[in-house]
């Protein structure tokens, strides 16, 4: 912001050549979105009656933390997953983490179904990510009955399944092994 209200005109140079034509402004109080993180040398020129007043200041722009907890996931009952919120661009001492239960570690261990989220703050810039974890019950197979057959006869054995499809069933008669896939 320019506090010089008596200036005939102003010129701002944001020190951000990658922003193209948006790198400068003649507005008294301009708005600029920086093209990247880093240190930018900002210069303000105030013109009054043929004289120039120049002010130079440095601005450090911090990147928004990169955060990815992964895709929503389905786990089997009893499995545990560790969520890691460590950001690729947060290697500094000013990184803070805040999970949905107010814990503050960079990792979080999940053993129950639910929605989990974390807010990470690096140098005052924040980002949030959420993941949904669903747990499926372990499948169960019950083989029906006791069968006696003569050599060479076919027998059909019922297998009752519980759990979530698709299923993969592996069975053997001691000599041959077969795998069946289905719903």
């Amino acid at each position: 912001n320019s506090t010089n209200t008596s200036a005939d005109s102003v010129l701002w140079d944001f020190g951000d050549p990658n922003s193209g034509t948006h790198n400068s402004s003649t507005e008294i109080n301009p708005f600029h979105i920086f093209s990247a993180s880093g240190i930018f040398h900002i210069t303000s020129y105030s013109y009054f009656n043929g004289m120039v007043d120049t002010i130079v200041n440095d601005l450090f722009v911090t990147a928004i933390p990169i955060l990815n907890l992964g895709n929503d996931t389905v786990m089997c009952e009893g499995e545990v997953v560790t969520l890691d919120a460590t950001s690729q661009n947060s290697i500094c001492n000013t990184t803070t983490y805040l999970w949905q239960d107010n814990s503050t570690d960079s990792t979080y261990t999940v053993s129950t179904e639910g929605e989990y989220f974390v807010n990470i703050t690096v140098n005052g810039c924040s980002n949030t990510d959420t993941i949904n974890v669903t747990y499926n019950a372990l499948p169960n197979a019950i083989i029906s009955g006791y069968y006696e057959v003569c050599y060479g006869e076919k027998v059909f054995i019922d297998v009752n399944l519980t759990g979530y499809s698709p299923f993969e069933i592996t069975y053997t008669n001691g000599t041959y092994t077969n795998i069946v896939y289905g719903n």
Side-chain angles (χ1 to χ4, degrees):
N1 289 326
S2 176
T3 58
N4 187 348
T5 57
S6 60
D8 295 330
S9 63
V10 295
L11 175 63
W12 291 87
D13 178 347
F14 298 109
D16 184 16
N18 290 333
S19 65
T21 60
H22 300 286
N23 187 42
S24 61
S25 175
T26 57
E27 299 287 323
I28 298 287
N29 296 314
F31 179 85
H32 182 74
I33 298 175
F34 288 87
S35 61
S37 60
I39 298 175
F40 295 89
H41 307 288
I42 301 171
T43 307
S44 170
Y45 304 95
S46 296
Y47 300 93
F48 180 73
N49 289 336
M51 296 188 317
V52 163
D53 183 21
T54 305
I55 299 173
V56 178
N57 204 342
D58 288 338
L59 176 69
F60 181 75
V61 176
T62 303
I64 294 175
I66 298 169
L67 177 61
N68 185 0
L69 293 177
N71 296 328
D72 292 348
T73 189
V74 178
M75 308 281 291
C76 288
E77 183 180 333
E79 288 184 316
V80 174
V81 64
T82 299
L83 304 176
D84 188 350
T86 305
S87 177
Q88 295 173 5
N89 60 343
S90 68
I91 305 170
C92 67
N93 294 332
T94 60
T95 303
T96 60
Y97 305 91
L98 183 61
W99 292 90
Q100 73 287 332
D101 67 349
N102 293 322
S103 61
T104 58
D105 290 335
S106 63
T107 59
Y108 191 86
T109 302
V110 174
S111 59
T112 59
E113 184 170 281
E115 179 180 83
Y116 298 88
F117 58 89
V118 63
N119 179 278
I120 179 174
T121 302
V122 179
N123 294 331
C125 296
S126 296
N127 199 358
T128 301
D129 195 19
T130 301
I131 185 172
N132 288 296
V133 177
T134 305
Y135 277 87
N136 286 338
L138 292 175
N140 189 26
I142 299 173
I143 300 173
S144 63
Y146 175 81
Y147 298 97
E148 284 188 27
V149 294
C150 295
Y151 181 80
E153 289 182 357
K154 291 183 179 181
V155 65
F156 293 95
I157 300 173
D158 292 324
V159 178
N160 295 315
L161 304 172
T162 60
Y164 295 92
S165 66
F167 290 104
E168 174 184 312
I169 303 170
T170 303
Y171 62 93
T172 183
N173 65 2
T175 304
Y176 301 102
T177 300
N178 196 7
I179 300 174
V180 177
Y181 302 95
N183 290 323

